[in-house]
């Protein structure tokens, strides 16, 4: 029963849109500034948005991680289905972290604060933040069911007409390892939402805007139109690909993702039929996440610079069989869904490389995402939970080398070694770039790194180790070579076959060898002077220059043996 | 009152021009001069400008007390990669942090993104065996022989400058100092920058990148400063030469030679200092500096006269206006935001079919369409002309005639047609969108800072600032704006009012409940001692005031708040101040959380008489009519139509005159637009204060 949307002249519309986006950006700033979790403040693992009274997204903050960004598009509608808008009052605050409702794993807690003008609901300020701990087996990489992954809060009122729901606070306090931080972050989320609410009221008071929903419709329409125009430039056609993953199901079979991507007119249909059934590992990706990364990847390739809202995803139709790893049913474990879902990026770029080779990227060593967690006690008995992030190399681009040690497709910063050593009784022995890690190619894959961490405390640390490309390295694209493999070693042991939680006794080291990015184009097409430069910088060894690039250096190691190089490269061409 | 040394000379080397402003403190008058920068030896342009000023102020140099000097040399050397052959010495296993950066993307969707090349390339990044724990205790002693070997190798390679950045050196500078001692003994000509001197703060990447920039520009700046001193001495000036720092203070050349990274961007600071000074003179509490020039707009919020200091600053961005695409520096820098919104910013239609203004700029050549130099892209200045805010016959005081007809057809063609707008609607769209862009940026900035604009006044300077200030201020909910005489060149005056001041910071992580006043006092005194020697160099014998500040957070939180310390350093009082500050910023504070000090800072300032700098109005009487030039049609935003505006000549306005909007006040370097509802008053000391009012009420009255 909505009245006809108000029409604005284009300039007024644009100014109002810009103000709505700036409300979301300012909320995000408030969240980051007041957050306790390093995951929020350094990893930007959060999302923030402003919704209208019907639960449709008006605008969201730009700087956040893609999975949550896209999941925000529908979360408020889903929450309102469980908790109808008419049952809300001023002073209410809603909370939820059900993975099937939101962004697919338990640490992401949504807080939604309805905003009222007098008694009239005018919109919502909503934040989602990845919390340091949510209980359970502390992010166990071998969890079989979601029950092991901490508490799940269905949609509930955290505040009822301004009164805190003590039961929920106590429930959280009793179930997590570092309650101060978790409660601190919940407060940060509420502060950001409150700020957003005030700004929404201000916007309605100061401008000619009467209802946020008057903005939602034209924003979505304009974005959708632009996205459709970008898709329409592609030739119609069907592109089928499949991708074997190194993770295995309970029976020891490698998991497979299959994609049938069809471009039809100004729409894209991405169908994952044929993808493996869900597994008893914490890597299943709920359909929300699968959709999020599908849309994200298409946007990266076709239309990176438009804002993200429902209009971006309307022309992209995603389907995945229920009960598969890309659309699992309860109680599938899903803590590390990122280690699976990022592969969707690879398979979509692969499909699109047939039609827009210049707009895609070779597979990266940066996915699956490597996020390590350590928990234990300082020698004085103080408990700690700390994270460590590092990155491999990105895949090469059509016309550029891959970026060195930089995250993709998530967006999280690395952990400062000095801060880590203050937050936890750990010591970093070294953190350095790895020679020969980038996949050879006309454009070289990004360089990866190796990191060694050591436990200094008397008490063993519990280390939740996640990473990947242990067995299948990032392949190259269009004749490019593969990047180097990843590996995690505890002490001098053999590399772990799979991600795992281990005990790390005093003075034990763990070595993280991050994977390199795939190359793009034949390495024999790389200008020999660029290969020489890589040798000089220590990114490529003399041996790899010879074997992979066909570039032979003179005995001084500083100049090219032109004749031998030319003949070796032409022999290879024959 | 006359004095022996009435003059102060400010001089700012920019990329294109070197600007001078010479103040006679007895008369309060100032003279402005511009000369082309001489990139080969920038001190040459300084000398020629110094000489040229004699034509209007004969013999002034012998009667000049200070020359205050700012320069873009440091930042340009970084951007153009023209610094010294530089090496890095790092802890064994950590030479690559400079190249790995923060491992995060600055644009989520752009898979073609590139990052700046590391300032020190990998073969010149060397390691020494040594290791400290986080609390500064030694885990592995420095291998001095290895360090000597590395230094020998680097010197043999022709390295001129070395950055030394060892892990946890902020907690214990011993190993870094030992490396420096070996270098001094074995290679006395090698310039050495220690991270524990340049920026003794936690986080290895940021400390390394800052120390690397310092090392990279150190030899170049040392040579430049020496030549500058020689040239000035050659012209008979040997008194106080001061260098302008990015943090808003001025300092002796010797300190600038040690820490050239502190001078990274001194130019924009001038505008902030000038705005702060104007705010003090006019008795305003909070001011928003709004400096809109040809290619960018700069803005900052100055509360109670205190310069806002940025926690972090970034240089060498791949994309000038994209945060994260550059190299972070941890030196104190006045927190000024810059956005691509100036008179030359180009308007166009983006991929969503929306009107976009900037950050691309038409520059000076070809410039806006109205310059008539075959520019074809409509710009903000073009829109301002069509809207009647600028007079085609009186731009830059009539030096340049503007092409109205061509401008109108250009705006119609590029903007009006595609959007289905009249030329006037299109011009208004450009004006409105650029104002919204600027307002959005400053809103975000204020949120980050945790401030509020309710009682602020906009100080409008720069050529385009006063043209846009009315609408900009209204968008921010600010009710007052102020425009000084000489607004177009006003920022140059800032150098002349800068204090002699220097900040020294050290990371000292301690829980408030585990320390006490005497321990804190000892730590602050140690930092004060370092700061004092720097001030002594600049102002021997002057009384020094110390401002103690600590960056404080709740235990486990990422970003700290700058809190000014009570005199007695009582932890309970510190906690209370932190709580107040936190509450003011974020709306709540918590009694149940532990409080941690992260970094201690001392700003030492030499007491120095600070002048009121403004150009007083000379006309008598209080009737604005004596300055009336006539009327012209200009756009009234609230009515969305062109209406008659009275036009006044700034220099003929008498003190005390009142002007009621809609009106326009013109001077050579800028134009002030007073909208409907605005009430302005001319202050004889040299500015116009506008109460913006409400246009709707005006309609009734």
């Amino acid at each position: 029963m909505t009245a006809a949307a108000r029409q604005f002249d284009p300039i007024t519309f644009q100014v109002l849109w810009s103000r709505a986006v700036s409300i979301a950006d300012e909320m995000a700033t408030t969240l980051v500034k007041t957050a306790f979790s390093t995951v929020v403040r350094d990893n930007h693992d959060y999302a923030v948005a402003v919704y209208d009274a019907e639960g449709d997204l008006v605008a969201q903050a730009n700087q956040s991680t893609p999975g949550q960004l896209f999941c925000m598009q529908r979360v408020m509608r889903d929450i309102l289905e469980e908790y109808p808008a008419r049952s809300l009052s001023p002073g209410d605050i809603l909370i939820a972290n059900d993975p099937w409702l939101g962004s697919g794993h338990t640490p992401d807690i949504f807080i939604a604060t309805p905003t009222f003008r007098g008694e009239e609901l005018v919109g919502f300020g909503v934040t989602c933040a990845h919390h340091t701990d949510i209980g359970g087996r502390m992010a166990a990489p071998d969890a079989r069911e979601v029950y092991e992954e901490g508490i799940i809060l269905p949609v509930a009122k955290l505040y009822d007409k301004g009164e805190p729901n003590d039961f929920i606070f106590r429930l959280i306090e009793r179930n997590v390892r570092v309650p101060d931080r978790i409660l601190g972050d919940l407060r940060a989320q509420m502060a950001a939402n409150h700020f957003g609410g005030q700004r929404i009221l201000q916007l309605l008071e100061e401008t000619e805007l009467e209802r946020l929903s008057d903005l939602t419709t034209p924003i979505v329409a304009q974005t959708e139109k632009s996205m459709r125009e970008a898709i329409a430039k592609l030739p119609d056609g069907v592109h089928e690909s499949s991708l074997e993953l190194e993770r295995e199901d309970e029976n020891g079979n490698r998991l497979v993702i299959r994609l049938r991507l069809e471009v039809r007119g100004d729409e894209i249909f991405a169908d994952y039929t044929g993808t493996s059934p869900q597994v008893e590992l914490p890597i299943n990706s709920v359909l929300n996440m699968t959709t999020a990364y599908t849309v994200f990847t298409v946007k990266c390739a076709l239309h990176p610079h438009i804002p993200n809202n429902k209009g971006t995803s309307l022309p992209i139709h995603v389907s995945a069989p229920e009960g598969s790893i890309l659309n699992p049913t309860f109680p599938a474990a899903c803590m590390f869904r990122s280690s699976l879902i990022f592969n969707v990026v690879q398979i979509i770029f692969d499909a699109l490389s047939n039609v827009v080779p210049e707009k895609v990227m070779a597979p990266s060593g940066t996915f699956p995402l490597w996020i390590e967690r350590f928990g234990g006690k300082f020698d004085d008995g103080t408990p700690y939970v700390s994270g460590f992030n590092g990155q491999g190399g990105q895949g090469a681009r059509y016309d550029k080398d891959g970026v060195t040690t930089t995250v993709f497709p998530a967006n999280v910063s690395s952990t400062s070694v000095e801060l880590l050593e203050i937050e936890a009784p750990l010591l970093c022995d070294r953190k350095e770039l790895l020679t020969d890690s980038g996949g050879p190619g006309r454009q070289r894959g990004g360089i990866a790194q190796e990191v060694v961490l050591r436990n200094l405390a008397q008490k063993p640390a519990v280390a939740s180790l996640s990473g990947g490309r242990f067995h299948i390295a990032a392949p190259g694209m269009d004749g490019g070579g593969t990047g180097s493999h990843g590996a995690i070693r505890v002490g001098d042991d053999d590399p772990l076959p799979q991600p795992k939680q281990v005990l790390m006794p005093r003075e034990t080291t763990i070595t993280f060898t991050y994977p390199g990015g795939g190359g793009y184009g034949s390495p024999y097409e790389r200008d020999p002077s660029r290969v020489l430069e890589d040798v000089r910088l220590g990114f490529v060894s003399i041996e790899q220059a010879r074997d992979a690039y066909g570039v032979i250096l003179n005995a001084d190691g500083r100049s090219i043996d032109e004749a031998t190089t030319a003949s070796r490269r032409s022999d290879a061409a024959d | 009152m006359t004095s022996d040394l009435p003059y102060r000379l400010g001089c700012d080397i920019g990329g294109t021009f070197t600007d001078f402003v010479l103040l006679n403190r007895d008369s309060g008058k100032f003279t402005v001069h511009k000369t082309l920068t001489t990139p080969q030896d920038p001190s040459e342009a300084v000398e020629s400008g110094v000489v040229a000023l004699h034509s209007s102020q004969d013999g002034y140099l012998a009667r000049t007390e200070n020359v205050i000097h700012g320069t873009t040399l440091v930042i340009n050397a970084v951007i153009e990669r023209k610094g010294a052959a530089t090496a890095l010495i790092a802890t064994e296993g950590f030479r690559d942090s400079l190249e790995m950066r923060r491992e995060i993307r600055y644009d989520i969707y752009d898979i073609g993104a590139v990052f700046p090349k590391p300032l020190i390339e990998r073969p010149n990044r060397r390691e020494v065996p040594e290791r400290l724990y986080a609390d500064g205790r030694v885990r592995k002693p420095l291998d001095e022989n290895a360090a000597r070997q590395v230094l020998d190798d680097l010197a043999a390679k022709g390295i001129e400058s070395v950055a030394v950045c060892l892990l946890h050196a902020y907690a214990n500078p011993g190993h870094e100092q030992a490396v420096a001692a070996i270098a001094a003994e074995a290679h006395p000509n090698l310039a050495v920058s220690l991270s524990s001197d340049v920026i003794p703060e936690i986080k290895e990447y940021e400390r390394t990148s800052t120390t690397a920039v310092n090392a990279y520009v150190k030899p170049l700046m040392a040579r430049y400063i020496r030549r500058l001193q020689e040239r000035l001495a050659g012209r008979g000036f040997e008194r106080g030469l001061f260098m302008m720092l990015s943090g808003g203070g001025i300092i002796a050349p010797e300190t600038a030679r040690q820490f050239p990274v502190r001078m990274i961007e001194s130019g924009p600071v001038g505008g902030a200092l000038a705005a702060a000074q104007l705010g003090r003179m006019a008795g305003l509490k909070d001011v928003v500096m709004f400096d809109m020039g040809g290619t960018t707009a700069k803005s900052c919020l100055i509360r109670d006269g205190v310069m806002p200091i940025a926690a972090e600053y970034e240089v060498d961005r791949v994309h000038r206006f994209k945060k994260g695409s550059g190299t972070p520096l941890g030196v104190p820098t006045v927190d000024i935001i810059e956005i691509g919104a100036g008179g030359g910013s180009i308007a166009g239609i983006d991929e969503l079919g929306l009107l976009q203004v900037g950050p691309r700029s038409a520059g000076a050549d070809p410039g806006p369409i109205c310059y008539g130099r075959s520019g074809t892209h409509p710009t903000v200045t073009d829109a301002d002309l069509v809207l009647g805010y600028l007079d085609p016959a009186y731009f830059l005081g009539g030096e340049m005639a503007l092409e109205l007809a061509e401008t109108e057809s250009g705006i119609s063609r590029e903007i009006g047609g595609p959007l289905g707008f009249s030329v006037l609607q299109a011009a208004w769209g450009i004006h409105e969108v650029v104002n919204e862009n600027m307002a959005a940026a400053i809103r975000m900035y204020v949120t980050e800072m945790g401030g509020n604009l309710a009682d602020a006044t906009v100080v409008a300077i720069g050529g385009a600032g006063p043209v846009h200030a009315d609408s900009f201020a209204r968008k921010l909910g600010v009710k007052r704006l102020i425009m000084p005489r000489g607004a177009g060149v006003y920022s140059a005056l800032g150098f002349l009012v800068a204090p002699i001041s220097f900040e020294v910071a050290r990371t000292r992580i301690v829980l408030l409940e585990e320390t006490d006043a005497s321990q804190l006092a000892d730590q602050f005194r140690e930092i004060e001692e370092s700061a004092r020697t720097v001030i002594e160099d600049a102002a021997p014998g002057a009384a020094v005031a110390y401002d103690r500040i600590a960056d404080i957070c709740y235990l486990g939180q990422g970003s700290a708040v700058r809190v000014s310390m009570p005199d007695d350093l009582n932890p309970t009082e510190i906690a209370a101040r932190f709580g107040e500050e936190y509450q003011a910023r974020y709306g709540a504070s918590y009694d149940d959380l532990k409080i941690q000090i992260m970094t201690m800072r001392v700003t030492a300032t030499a007491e120095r008489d600070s002048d009121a700098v403004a150009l007083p109005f000379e006309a008598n009487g209080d009737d604005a009519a004596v300055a009336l030039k006539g009327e012209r049609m200009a756009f009234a935003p609230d009515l969305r139509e062109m209406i008659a505006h009275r036009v006044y000549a700034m220099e003929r306005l008498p003190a005390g005159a009142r002007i009621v909007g809609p009106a326009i006040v013109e001077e050579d370097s800028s134009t002030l637009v007073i909208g409907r509802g605005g009430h302005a008053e001319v202050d004889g000391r040299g500015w116009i204060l506008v109460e913006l009012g409400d246009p709707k009420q005006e309609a009734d009255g």
Side-chain angles (χ1 to χ4, degrees), chain B residues 578-615:
Chain B
F578 168 67
E580 278 168 32
E581 187 70 36
Y582 197 88
Q583 169 102 29
R585 285 173 180 234
Y586 306 122
S589 60
Y590 311 108
D591 294 336
D592 52 334
L593 300 178
K594 291 183 178 178
I595 295 172
Q596 189 173 45
I597 293 182
M598 293 297 291
T599 298
M600 296 176 153
R601 304 175 185 277
V602 169
T603 303
T605 307
E607 287 173 10
R608 172 169 179 262
D609 53 331
S610 188
D611 298 279
V613 176
L615 255 182

Side-chain angles (χ1 to χ4, degrees), chain A residues 423-436:
Chain A
E423 281 191 1
L426 299 173
L427 187 99
C428 180
D429 281 4
R430 59 192 171 84
K431 184 176 195 298
E432 52 198 1
L433 295 174
L434 271 178
T435 306
D436 293 343

Side-chain angles (χ1 to χ4, degrees), chain A residues 104-121:
Chain A
H105 69 174
T106 48
D108 287 355
I109 301 181
F110 286 86
I111 300 281
T113 307
T115 297
F116 289 84
R117 180 168 49 190
E119 292 297 312
E120 176 204 3
L121 177 69

Side-chain angles (χ1 to χ4, degrees), chain A residues 17-96:
Chain A
W17 186 356
S18 153
R19 285 201 59 175
V21 172
S22 95
I23 291 174
D25 279 337
E26 289 179 69
M27 286 171 66
T29 301
T30 307
L31 176 64
V32 171
K33 287 262 169 179
T34 52
F36 287 78
S37 141
T38 48
V39 193
V40 168
R41 70 184 199 226
D42 296 335
N43 301 1
H44 302 276
D45 202 346
Y46 63 82
V48 171
V50 173
Y51 293 79
D52 65 24
E54 281 79 48
D56 286 324
L57 187 145
V58 183
Q60 66 187 140
N62 289 309
Q63 185 60 252
S64 54
T65 193
Q68 292 193 10
L69 264 177
F70 283 86
C71 292
M72 289 297 264
Q73 286 178 13
R74 49 175 305 172
V75 70
M76 203 57 227
R77 278 269 179 191
D78 290 347
I79 287 179
L80 289 182
E81 252 172 46
E82 297 203 14
Y83 233 104
R86 62 176 184 282
S87 66
L88 298 174
S89 312
D92 286 354
I93 297 178
L94 300 174
I95 186 169

Side-chain angles (χ1 to χ4, degrees), chain A residues 9-15 17-19 22 25-26 29-30 32-36 41-42 44 62-64 66 69-70 180-181 187 191 195 199 208 222-223 226 229 296 299-300 303-308 349 359-361 389-391 394 397 400 403 405-419 421-422 427-433 449 454 456 507 533 536-539, chain B residues 92-97 99-115 117 121-123 125 127 131-134 139 166-170 201-207 322-323 350-356 419 421 425-426 428-430 432-433 436-437 440 443-444 447-449 474-475 477 507 509 554-560 582 585-586 590 592-593 596 598 640:
Chain A
D9 74 74
I11 298 305
T12 306
F13 165 62
Q14 186 172 345
V15 167
W17 186 356
S18 153
R19 285 201 59 175
S22 95
D25 279 337
E26 289 179 69
T29 301
T30 307
V32 171
K33 287 262 169 179
T34 52
F36 287 78
R41 70 184 199 226
D42 296 335
H44 302 276
N62 289 309
Q63 185 60 252
S64 54
L69 264 177
F70 283 86
D180 280 359
R181 289 202 180 189
R187 283 164 170 167
F195 180 91
R199 282 285 204 256
E208 47 203 285
Q222 205 134 356
T223 313
S226 183
E229 285 165 3
F296 166 78
K299 184 175 186 301
C300 281
H303 215 2
H305 300 299
I306 55 169
N308 173 44
F349 277 156
K359 290 187 170 174
V360 300
M361 189 179 196
N389 306 330
Q391 297 299 330
Q394 282 185 18
R397 287 77 61 92
K400 292 179 196 110
V403 181
T405 59
T406 298
V407 59
F408 179 81
N411 207 29
V412 305
S413 35
S414 59
T415 309
S416 150
V417 167
E418 288 178 341
L419 279 179
E421 293 184 3
I422 282 186
L427 187 99
C428 180
D429 281 4
R430 59 192 171 84
K431 184 176 195 298
E432 52 198 1
L433 295 174
Q449 62 180 313
R454 176 185 296 274
L456 298 178
E507 287 297 338
E533 177 66 1
R536 192 179 72 83
L537 296 175
F539 296 150
Chain B
E92 195 170 47
F94 293 91
R95 67 167 168 157
D96 288 325
S97 73
E99 184 142 5
M100 293 195 230
R101 305 167 50 89
R102 290 168 177 162
E103 307 183 23
I104 190 169
R105 313 203 298 295
Y106 57 84
D107 184 321
I108 296 180
Y109 304 105
D110 184 3
I111 58 170
V114 292
F115 294 85
K117 276 177 82 160
E121 62 167 21
R122 199 152 185 255
R125 302 198 300 258
E127 297 176 349
R131 189 62 153 91
L132 301 175
Y133 288 110
R139 176 175 169 89
L166 305 179
L167 284 182
H168 300 299
Y170 59 88
E201 294 182 49
I202 191 165
K203 287 204 208 176
E204 67 278 6
Y205 166 61
E206 289 76 1
R207 197 166 71 252
K322 273 191 189 170
K323 213 171 176 176
D350 73 7
E351 23 189 25
L352 281 174
L354 298 175
L355 175 58
Q356 175 153 12
L419 291 180
F421 279 9
Q425 282 174 316
W428 171 244
I430 296 171
E432 176 75 355
V433 167
E436 181 58 32
N437 289 349
R443 261 186 234 121
M444 186 70 184
T447 305
E448 280 189 24
M449 176 185 254
R474 285 178 193 280
K475 282 178 179 296
T507 290
I509 299 170
Y554 288 117
L555 178 63
Q557 229 173 4
S559 61
Y582 197 88
R585 285 173 180 234
Y586 306 122
Y590 311 108
D592 52 334
L593 300 178
Q596 189 173 45
M598 293 297 291
R640 304 275 166 111

